[in-house]
Amino acid sequence: MKRPTSRTARLLAAVVLTALAATASACGKEGSPPTKGPARDELPEYPVAKDFRLPQSGTWKKARSRGHFVVGAKEDQPYLGEKDPASGVYSGFDIEIAKMVSASLGLDPRRIEFKTIASANRETALQNGQIDYYVGTYTINDNRKKLVGFAGPYYMAGQGLLVRSDEEDIRGPRDLGGKRVCSAAGSTPYQRIQQDYPKATLVAYDTYSICVDNLLTYQVDAVTTDDAILIGYAAKVPEELKVVGKPFSQEPYGIGVPRGDNALRLAIDDALAAGEKDGYWKKAYDATLGLSGVPAPKPPALDRYPAS
Ligand code: GLU
């Protein structure tokens, strides 16, 4: 297809974005199609652990006296972490994981205060005590482990590519030479393109949804990040967008905690192990990410690394 004039491109973007906003704010209960987010009554209720104590954890003690956890998350990633603009309510698989953990640690998940934190700001938010823990497509890796602690992993994603549905040239990362590729600043997919596919022209924004706007308006040729995230964007406008190729990395999702708080990290590992064993992990998956059509995988083995 020919590149549309900038006026047509702007019009197309306006139409698509209106559609996206409408889908994001729809939260109907009956017969909601997958792209509208989970129906409320299908979400699990996590039993709050009674008499749970974690006095070795400074973060837990602070949350406990406050009466709830403050959790960092994403707000524009369909099926994973999405904030309803009208009600301010967060939903998605990462949000469910955050709730499951809070309940296991003895604090009412309905009282969690979610804060949207972009990929590039996660480490600082944990370091300066802005949040107690972070659940938002956060890949565990050794570089980040120098700055924060990680419980998990609780899910395994892989890097992929999102393109316009009429795109024929891009089928994998090797086809990115000379193409404009958008990703989030501070993310592992951004770094991988920079290191392994230097012929691509990289464009960075704070969030992937801005990248998707740029793809729809022909400012970039592809968006790259985890397949789990891209599937959600493609599902919102399936006539306009498609995910291509096979995943070309492993992105184990962890729960970020302040680096020194090993007691909290290991207690969250216990919470994940319990949630996986008693079926809550799968229930959470089925009611959120599972709506994308991908059946629940087996969760990856927990890392549980020693304190350093
Ligand atoms: N999982 C990748 C990362 O942590 C990409 C998704 C994100 O930016 O949250 O960098």
Side-chain angles (χ1 to χ4, degrees), residues 5 19 24 26 34 39 90 105 112 114 116-117 130 132 206 222-223 227 235 239 242 248 264 268 304 308:
T5 62
Y90 286 73
L105 269 53
I112 294 178
F114 286 102
T116 300
I117 310 275
Q130 236 181 301
D132 299 323
D206 281 351
V223 177
D227 48 2
E239 332 67 53
K242 64 181 179 190
F248 52 98
L264 180 68
I268 296 181
R304 261 187 213 283
S308 59

Side-chain angles (χ1 to χ4, degrees), residues 119-133:
S119 296
N121 303 330
R122 293 181 281 212
E123 290 79 24
T124 351
L126 285 165
Q127 284 167 336
N128 67 21
Q130 236 181 301
I131 52 173
D132 299 323
Y133 56 93

Side-chain angles (χ1 to χ4, degrees), residues 74 77 94 117-120 122-123 134 136-141 144 150 157 183-192 206 208 224-226 229 251-253:
K74 295 288 180 68
Q77 298 186 170
D94 285 333
I117 310 275
S119 296
R122 293 181 281 212
E123 290 79 24
Y134 186 94
T137 60
Y138 197 8
T139 295
I140 304 174
N141 66 30
R144 289 175 176 168
F150 282 107
S183 197
S187 71
T188 49
Y190 179 92
Q191 285 157 12
R192 187 162 298 103
D206 281 351
Y208 301 108
T224 189
T225 186
D226 306 335
I229 302 174
E251 308 290 331
Y253 287 174

